[in-house]
């Protein structure tokens, strides 16, 4: 089939817009100190955000290219190769480039004596990054190799064989065989109980009629265990269920294992974010900054100053303890305890900065820009709707479908969101916009969940995205989370929108090969329940621990 030029032009334009959006993401969030420096991590962030968006948008592109028909050349674009190429590039960034960049910046914090003569801080950071990246990659490669050649590199695909004996039809009229062939070659169960009239080629006598046969199911004690039908007692078609073990390529297996790893983050952070993102937006509107007087401003600023002074002293002490502990052994218990204290210290600094910004809004901006507050309120209302729609869709379609694919006699209650996407896919922009809205909402929830859980877990380092104040290390971390989560999101979208994604390359990779991998397939299904659990658990946690009682939202002493 000829190449769809319009589809290619649209894809190129959209790809360019995604790159521009990724650049804007970096410029919008970066700290002023990083404005004209740190070009390598900026390129990494732009590539990561761009690839994540492309990974998610591969599905609607594949749907448009496939045109809903079972033909590998339907639209002219080699979507199977493009899909694997994008996923392989994502793996290189996730497994090598982003860890190297993160270790490089971490090496700056672990430089215990940067002022020593003849020592280059950059050289120390480079050595630190290489020292940790290579072992990390080697361990991961060893795990992959052990799993692949240890018996897990097979996809167990449920298959139905159609068996039918030879039936002599040479003496019958061709126009009387249409229903017979439909039944014999496709085992169409809807024909059971009906009659087939087979007309001989030789003219019928005066008192002769065309033979009529009845299609019935095989019954009795000698009936085979699989489903067979008969034509007047003679077995003519059987449906034989079986499980085929198919070896998957090492590339697809690496994608599968990395996707499973991404599911750990996607299920936990995404579930927390689905509940906390709309809740926090609505609560922030409710408890937004209010105009305050000069006297109130001075009193609260004095309190913040005292808290800042205490934190500065604690920071100096903590820095000295870290340097002393690092000289002895980076893996001793004392060093780990100090690192946990450092993470808690950074969270306290973030809380103080949050209250300072809120104080400045209350006095200098007299409560801040009301338009921004109402935009957040409207986004919060939309987020409530999106969370509810996702939970309903998971309950009525995704979970029943996943059980059906495991061989259970369960059908989805309704296609739900699939119908909406199929109805709008031919309307320019609208169909892709709705798909992007539901898909990228889950990515936003992952970032929100990472920030939310980071405020409560001592061992977890928080990397919040703050407009105009995000350090490059935090941007790299969040870009890595977004890119890693784009793989399980692509798989989840393929399952959640399987009616919409019919016959696509994504469905072939994730819906057949990855989701059927021996042993791993149960993990993919389990994470759907974990996602819902974290969402529901976070909802009830926030009811028990409301906005004002949460540590990051408490006013320090007023």
């Amino acid at each position: 089939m000829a190449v769809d030029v319009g589809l290619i032009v649209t894809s190129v334009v959209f790809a360019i817009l995604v790159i521009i959006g990724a650049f804007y993401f970096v410029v919008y969030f970066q700290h002023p100190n990083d404005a004209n420096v740190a070009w390598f991590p900026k390129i990494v962030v732009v590539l990561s955000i761009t690839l994540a968006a492309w990974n998610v948008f591969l599905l609607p592109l594949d749907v448009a290219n496939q045109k809903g028909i079972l033909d590998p050349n339907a639209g002219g674009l080699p979507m199977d190769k493009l899909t694997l190429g994008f996923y392989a590039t994502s793996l290189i960034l996730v497994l090598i480039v982003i860890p190297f960049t993160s270790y490089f910046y971490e090496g700056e914090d672990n430089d215990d004596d940067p002022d020593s003569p003849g020592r280059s801080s950059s050289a120390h950071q480079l050595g630190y990054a290489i020292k940790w990246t290579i072992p990390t990659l080697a361990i991961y490669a060893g795990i992959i190799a052990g799993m692949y050649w240890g018996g897990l590199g097979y996809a167990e695909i449920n298959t139905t064989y159609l068996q039918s004996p030879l039936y002599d039809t040479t003496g019958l009229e061709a126009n009387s065989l249409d229903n017979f062939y439909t039944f014999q070659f496709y085992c169409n169960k809807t024909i059971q109980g009906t009659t087939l009239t087979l007309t001989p080629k030789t003219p019928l006598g005066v008192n002769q009629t065309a033979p009529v046969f009845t299609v019935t199911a095989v019954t009795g004690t000698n009936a085979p265990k699989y489903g067979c039908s008969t034509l007047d007692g003679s077995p003519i078609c059987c449906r034989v269920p079986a499980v085929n073990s198919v070896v998957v390529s090492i590339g697809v297996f690496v994608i599968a294992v990395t996707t499973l790893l991404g599911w750990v983050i996607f299920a936990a952070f995404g579930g927390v974010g689905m509940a906390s993102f709309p809740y926090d937006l609505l609560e922030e509107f409710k408890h937004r900054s209010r105009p305050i007087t000069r006297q109130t401003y001075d009193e609260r600023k004095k309190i913040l100053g005292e808290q800042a002074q205490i934190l500065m002293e604690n920071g100096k002490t903590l820095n000295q303890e870290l340097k002393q502990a690092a000289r002895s052994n980076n893996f001793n218990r004392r060093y780990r305890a100090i690192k946990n204290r450092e993470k808690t210290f950074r969270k306290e600094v973030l809380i103080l900065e949050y209250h300072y910004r809120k104080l400045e809004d209350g006095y200098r901006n007299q409560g801040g820009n009301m338009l921004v507050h109402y935009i957040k309120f409207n986004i919060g209302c939309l987020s409530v709707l999106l969370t509810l729609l996702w939970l309903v869709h998971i309950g009525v379609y995704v979970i029943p479908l996943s059980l059906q694919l495991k061989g259970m006699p369960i059908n989805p209650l309704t296609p739900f969101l699939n119908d909406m996407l199929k109805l709008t896919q031919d309307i320019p922009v609208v169909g892709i916009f709705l798909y992007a809205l539901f898909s990228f909402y889950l990515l936003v929830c992952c970032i929100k969940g990472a920030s939310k859980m980071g405020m409560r877990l001592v061992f977890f380092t928080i990397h919040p995205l703050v407009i105009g104040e995000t350090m490059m290390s935090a941007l790299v971390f969040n870009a890595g989370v977004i890119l890693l989560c784009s793989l399980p999101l692509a798989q989840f979208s393929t399952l959640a929108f399987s009616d919409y994604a019919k016959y696509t390359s994504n469905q072939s990779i994730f819906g057949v090969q990855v989701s059927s991998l021996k042993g791993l397939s149960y993990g993919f299904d389990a994470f759907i329940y974990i996602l819902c659990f974290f969402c529901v658990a976070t909802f009830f946690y926030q009811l028990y621990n409301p906005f004002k009682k949460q540590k990051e939202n408490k006013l320090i002493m007023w």
Side-chain angles (χ1 to χ4, degrees):
M1 184 174 288
V3 176
D4 190 337
V5 178
L7 181 61
I8 294 178
V9 172
T10 303
S11 303
V12 171
V13 171
F14 182 79
I16 294 173
L17 291 176
V18 168
I19 296 174
I20 294 174
F23 274 108
Y24 182 73
F25 175 86
V26 173
V27 174
Y28 191 60
F29 283 99
Q30 72 175 354
H31 195 279
N33 293 344
D34 294 325
N36 296 307
V37 295
W39 292 106
F40 175 70
K42 287 179 182 177
I43 294 174
V44 172
V45 172
V46 170
L47 284 176
S48 300
I49 299 297
T50 301
L51 270 176
W54 287 347
N55 288 342
V56 175
F57 279 112
L58 279 173
L59 183 58
L61 174 62
D62 205 349
V63 170
N65 182 70
Q66 202 62 32
K67 304 183 189 306
I69 58 177
L70 184 58
D71 182 358
N73 301 313
L77 291 179
M79 287 306 304
D80 53 345
K81 296 180 177 61
L82 284 175
T83 302
L84 288 175
F86 279 119
Y87 292 159
T89 308
S90 300
L91 292 181
I92 294 173
L93 281 171
V94 167
L95 300 178
I96 301 176
V97 179
I98 292 177
F100 176 84
T101 308
S102 298
Y103 286 135
F104 185 84
Y105 274 94
E106 189 177 331
E108 185 177 7
D109 295 333
N110 285 273
D111 191 354
D112 59 331
D113 194 12
D115 298 326
S116 59
R119 184 190 182 104
S120 170
S121 179
S122 297
H124 169 80
Q125 290 177 252
L126 181 62
Y128 184 87
I130 295 175
K131 180 180 72 174
W132 285 103
T133 302
I134 293 178
T136 302
L137 187 61
I139 292 172
Y140 191 76
I143 294 173
I144 294 287
M147 295 173 66
Y148 184 76
W149 283 286
L152 297 181
Y154 294 87
E156 297 179 328
I157 302 175
N158 293 324
T159 308
T160 299
Y161 289 98
L162 305 183
Q163 295 182 351
S164 184
L166 294 175
Y167 195 89
D168 186 9
T169 60
T170 55
L172 301 174
E173 289 285 354
N175 58 6
S176 70
L177 295 173
D178 290 343
N179 287 336
F180 176 78
Y181 287 149
T182 300
F183 165 66
Q184 186 183 28
F185 294 146
Y186 300 104
C187 286
N188 190 342
K189 289 186 176 182
T190 60
I191 299 181
Q192 287 184 357
T194 63
T195 57
L196 300 178
T197 301
L198 305 179
T199 307
K201 289 182 179 180
T202 57
L204 296 173
V206 176
N207 295 321
Q208 290 182 321
T209 58
V212 177
F213 299 90
T214 303
V215 180
T216 58
V218 172
T219 58
T221 56
N222 295 325
K225 294 182 180 179
Y226 41 84
C228 284
S229 299
T230 67
L231 197 63
D232 279 3
S234 176
I236 198 68
C237 181
C238 295
R239 302 171 66 90
V240 184
V243 177
N244 278 356
S245 293
V246 180
V247 179
V248 299
S249 66
I250 184 65
V252 171
F253 189 78
V254 175
I255 291 174
V257 176
T258 307
T259 300
L260 187 65
L261 177 63
W263 263 108
V264 177
I265 299 175
F266 182 70
F269 292 171
V272 171
M274 286 175 69
S276 62
F277 183 66
Y279 175 85
D280 284 354
L281 282 176
L282 295 177
E283 286 294 322
E284 284 178 14
F285 176 79
K286 180 180 178 181
H287 301 283
R288 62 188 180 276
S289 299
R290 309 287 182 177
I292 59 175
T293 63
R294 175 73 188 195
Q295 181 180 358
T296 304
Y297 171 76
D298 290 339
E299 292 173 355
R300 294 182 177 181
K301 189 175 182 179
K302 181 180 178 182
I303 297 172
L304 284 176
E306 293 171 354
Q307 295 291 325
Q309 188 63 36
I310 294 173
L311 284 177
M312 288 175 64
E313 294 298 327
N314 291 341
K316 292 179 181 178
T317 303
L318 189 62
N319 190 40
Q320 291 298 324
E321 292 179 3
L322 275 174
K323 288 183 178 180
Q324 293 174 3
R327 289 192 183 98
S328 56
N329 185 357
N330 284 9
F331 294 96
N332 61 40
R333 184 176 300 177
R334 178 170 175 264
Y335 180 81
R336 293 196 300 270
I338 297 173
K339 290 295 289 184
N340 286 335
R341 283 171 50 203
E342 180 192 28
K343 294 171 184 177
T344 303
F345 169 78
R346 290 183 177 183
K347 295 170 188 177
E348 291 174 349
V349 171
L350 290 172
I351 293 172
L352 189 66
E353 291 175 347
Y354 165 75
H355 288 299
Y356 176 73
R357 289 193 300 269
K358 193 171 181 180
L359 178 64
E360 291 294 314
D361 275 343
Y363 176 68
R364 300 192 184 280
N365 301 323
Q366 288 300 295
N369 190 332
M370 285 303 299
L371 179 61
V372 174
H373 291 314
Y374 278 103
I375 289 175
K376 288 185 177 180
F377 173 76
N378 289 324
I379 294 176
C381 294
L382 177 62
S383 301
V384 172
L385 178 62
L386 291 175
T387 294
L388 291 176
L389 287 175
W390 264 122
L391 290 176
V392 172
H393 186 65
I394 290 172
V396 302
Y397 184 81
V398 177
I399 291 177
L401 180 62
S402 65
L403 295 176
Q404 184 187 65
L405 294 175
K406 292 300 180 187
M408 297 186 183
I410 298 176
N411 293 319
L413 300 179
T414 171
F416 200 44
L417 296 180
N418 284 276
D419 287 343
M420 180 188 65
L421 292 179
K422 288 164 69 175
L423 286 172
T424 58
Q425 67 178 346
D426 293 330
I427 304 175
V429 181
V430 176
I432 294 180
F433 171 78
L434 289 175
Y435 171 82
L437 179 64
F438 282 98
S439 300
F440 280 101
Y441 174 69
L442 294 180
L443 275 183
V444 172
C445 288
C446 288
I447 298 300
K448 176 63 180 179
S451 176
K452 197 74 174 178
M453 292 184 71
M455 292 301 297
R456 284 154 183 79
L457 301 178
V458 175
F459 59 85
F460 189 86
T461 303
I462 186 172
H463 298 274
L465 287 173
V466 182
I467 297 173
E469 298 182 16
T470 307
M471 300 303 295
M472 195 51 58
S473 57
L475 278 175
V476 171
F477 173 84
N478 284 287
V481 170
I482 292 173
L483 182 57
L484 182 58
C485 288
S486 70
L487 295 176
L489 176 58
Q491 182 190 18
F492 181 70
S493 298
T494 303
L495 177 64
F497 304 129
S498 60
D499 284 3
Y500 169 75
K502 191 177 296 183
Y503 308 134
T504 60
S505 298
N506 259 324
Q507 193 172 61
S508 173
I509 295 172
F510 285 125
V512 178
Q513 299 181 60
V514 172
S515 62
S516 302
L517 281 172
K518 183 179 179 181
L520 300 184
S521 60
Y522 296 99
F524 295 123
D525 294 337
F527 278 119
I528 297 175
Y529 297 94
I530 294 173
L531 174 74
C532 296
F533 168 78
F534 271 98
C535 181
V536 175
T538 303
F539 172 75
F540 285 106
Y541 170 80
Q542 290 178 143
L543 291 181
Y544 172 77
N545 190 37
F547 190 83
K548 284 188 175 181
K549 291 184 179 180
Q550 295 175 20
K551 180 179 179 182
E552 63 269 29
N553 300 320
K554 286 182 180 179
L555 296 176
I556 296 180
M557 289 184 64
W558 58 75

